[in-house]
Amino acid sequence: MDRSSLLQLIQEQQLDPENTGFIGADTFTGLVHSHELPLDPAKLDMLVALAQSNERGQVCYQELVDLVSDTISSKRSSSFKRAIANGQRALPQDGLLDEPGLGVYKRFVRYVAYEILPREVDRHWYFYRHRSCPPPVFMASVTLAQIIVFLCYGARLNKWVLQTYHPEYMKSPLVYHPGHRARAWRFLTYMFMHVGLEQLGFNALLQLMIGVPLEMVHGLLRISLLYLAGVLAGSLTVSITDMRAPVVGGSGGVYALCSAHLANVVMNWAGMRCPYKLLRMVLALVCMSSEVGRAVWLRFSPPLPASGPQPSFMAHLAGAVVGVSMGLTILRSYEERLRDQCGWWVVLLAYGTFLLFAIFWNIFAYDLLGAHIPPPP
C-alpha cells in the first residue's frame, strides 16, 4: 500500500469527516491492524506507538501516511527521523537481547546491531529488516585480494617482512610511486600491496572486525564509497605533503572506516550497548597510534639500507580525516537518504574541492617547485 492509496482509504472510510487533518490514535491503530500492510510486526509496533504518543489522542494522518510510506520503502526519510526524535512514544521496552530461540546467524545479526547502532529503535529496524542476501562481499573480497597479492609477491621475492626493501618490489604496477603519477590507477591499486606481514595482518583484521559489520548495516555502496574515498585521499595527500615518497597498503581505507566508527561511538556514547566499550576504544586508539608510529619510523629511520624513500605515513592521517568527515555523516544516516541531508552535500563539495586541487597539484606543482623525486623503478 503506497501513500496515495492509504490517504484514499482514510478519506473513503470517513475517518476524518470534518476534514481537520487529524484522526484518533485508536482509529489509526485499528486501521493499521485491519488492513494488510507489508510490514514486520516490530515495524507495526513502532507505527502504533508513534500514533499513541500524542497527548490529545489525535495524530496528523498526513504525517502518519508519510511514516507508513517511509516504513514500506527501503530508505527512511526525515519524517520518520523527526517522529522518532520528537514523539514521546511508548515503544516496547524489551530489547533484542531478550529475543529467545535465535539461530547462530540471527544471534550474529543481533550482535552486529548492538555493535554498530546507537538506538534501540534502529536496532529493531535493522534486526527485522536484515536479509542475508546479498552478503557483505566488498570487505571480504578486498581482504582476500590483498592476501592473495601479498602471498604472490612474498613467494616471488622470498621475503615476507619489510618487502619494500627488496629492489624488485617497487617495480610492481600496483604501487603508487611519485615517478609514475601519470598512471592514475596506482592512486587506488596501492591498497593491494603491503610493507609486510605485520601491516597486512593489522589491516585485514580491522577490515573484517569493523568493515564487515559496517557493511552489513550500512550496505555495500556506502561502505565501499567510504573505503575507496579514504584510499584515494591517502595517495593524493602523500603526493601533496610527502612528494618523494611512495605509498603501499590499504591503511587509508582502514583508517577511514575505523575513525568513522570510533567517532560515531563517542558521539552516541550513552546509546551504544556494545560491551566493554571504553576498554575497546582505548585498545583501538593504542593500536591505530602504534601503527602510525611504526609507519613514521619506517619512513624517517629505515632499519635497512634502501634504494629510495620508504612509504609515507600520511595516508593513515588522510584516511582518518575522511572517516571523521564523510564517514561520520554516513554512519549517522542509517537507513536515511543521504541526498536529503545538507551536511552530506557539504562533505561532498569539500572532498570534490580537495580532488580538484590534488589533480592540479600533481599536474603542475612538481615541475614548478622543482621537486627532486627518486627515479621510477
Side-chain angles (χ1 to χ4, degrees), residues 237-314:
T237 300
V238 170
S239 70
I240 296 172
T241 60
D242 198 357
M243 299 168 67
R244 301 183 70 248
V247 191
V248 296
S251 297
V254 171
Y255 274 63
L257 296 177
C258 292
S259 60
H261 178 56
L262 293 180
N264 190 46
V265 170
V266 170
M267 294 190 66
N268 299 280
W269 188 262
M272 298 301 294
R273 296 282 300 278
C274 48
Y276 309 108
K277 55 185 175 182
L278 180 59
L279 176 61
R280 294 164 63 181
M281 174 77 69
V282 172
L283 289 176
L285 292 175
V286 169
C287 292
M288 293 171 66
S289 301
S290 301
E291 172 63 16
V292 174
R294 186 192 68 88
V296 173
W297 170 63
L298 291 177
R299 174 68 180 90
F300 294 111
S301 300
L304 298 174
S307 57
Q310 288 300 294
S312 176
F313 60 91
M314 290 301 298

Side-chain angles (χ1 to χ4, degrees), residues 25 36 79 97-98 101 358:
E36 295 184 358
S79 60
L97 290 176
D98 302 319

Side-chain angles (χ1 to χ4, degrees), residues 95-350:
L96 291 179
L97 290 176
D98 302 319
E99 287 279 348
L102 298 178
V104 175
Y105 182 74
K106 268 300 186 181
R107 286 201 298 269
F108 178 67
V109 172
R110 181 178 61 184
Y111 163 80
V112 169
Y114 277 96
E115 283 290 311
I116 304 299
L117 297 170
R119 297 184 300 176
E120 192 66 31
V121 64
D122 286 336
R123 297 180 192 121
H124 274 82
W125 180 279
Y126 169 73
F127 182 80
Y128 288 106
R129 182 180 177 274
H130 175 77
R131 299 293 182 267
S132 58
C133 186
V137 295
F138 176 75
M139 293 311 310
S141 300
V142 168
T143 304
L144 180 61
Q146 291 171 340
I147 293 174
I148 291 174
V149 170
F150 176 79
L151 292 176
C152 291
Y153 275 90
R156 176 184 172 186
L157 305 176
N158 194 25
K159 192 174 182 65
W160 305 96
V161 179
L162 300 179
Q163 289 184 346
T164 53
Y165 290 92
H166 196 286
E168 297 295 319
Y169 182 86
M170 288 297 174
K171 295 181 180 180
S172 169
L174 303 178
V175 173
Y176 166 80
H177 190 281
H180 290 309
R181 298 189 315 282
R183 302 174 183 178
W185 69 84
R186 291 174 179 256
F187 284 92
L188 283 175
T189 57
Y190 78 92
M191 71 180 187
F192 296 109
M193 305 291 290
H194 286 82
V195 172
L197 186 60
E198 68 287 353
Q199 185 189 26
L200 173 65
F202 179 80
N203 286 349
L205 182 64
L206 290 180
Q207 286 172 179
L208 295 178
M209 290 184 62
I210 296 180
V212 168
L214 286 176
E215 186 179 348
M216 289 178 63
V217 172
H218 296 282
L220 182 148
L221 183 60
R222 292 187 177 190
I223 297 306
S224 61
L225 173 63
L226 175 59
Y227 185 88
L228 295 177
V231 170
L232 183 58
S235 55
L236 290 175
T237 300
V238 170
S239 70
I240 296 172
T241 60
D242 198 357
M243 299 168 67
R244 301 183 70 248
V247 191
V248 296
S251 297
V254 171
Y255 274 63
L257 296 177
C258 292
S259 60
H261 178 56
L262 293 180
N264 190 46
V265 170
V266 170
M267 294 190 66
N268 299 280
W269 188 262
M272 298 301 294
R273 296 282 300 278
C274 48
Y276 309 108
K277 55 185 175 182
L278 180 59
L279 176 61
R280 294 164 63 181
M281 174 77 69
V282 172
L283 289 176
L285 292 175
V286 169
C287 292
M288 293 171 66
S289 301
S290 301
E291 172 63 16
V292 174
R294 186 192 68 88
V296 173
W297 170 63
L298 291 177
R299 174 68 180 90
F300 294 111
S301 300
L304 298 174
S307 57
Q310 288 300 294
S312 176
F313 60 91
M314 290 301 298
H316 300 71
L317 305 182
V321 172
V322 170
V324 172
S325 55
M326 179 185 294
L328 188 58
T329 304
I330 291 176
L331 299 195
R332 294 181 66 187
S333 305
Y334 169 66
E335 282 302 310
E336 297 168 20
R337 301 181 183 94
L338 289 174
R339 65 176 181 268
D340 294 339
Q341 302 183 45
C342 179
W344 172 246
W345 295 108
V346 172
V347 170
L348 281 187
L349 178 62

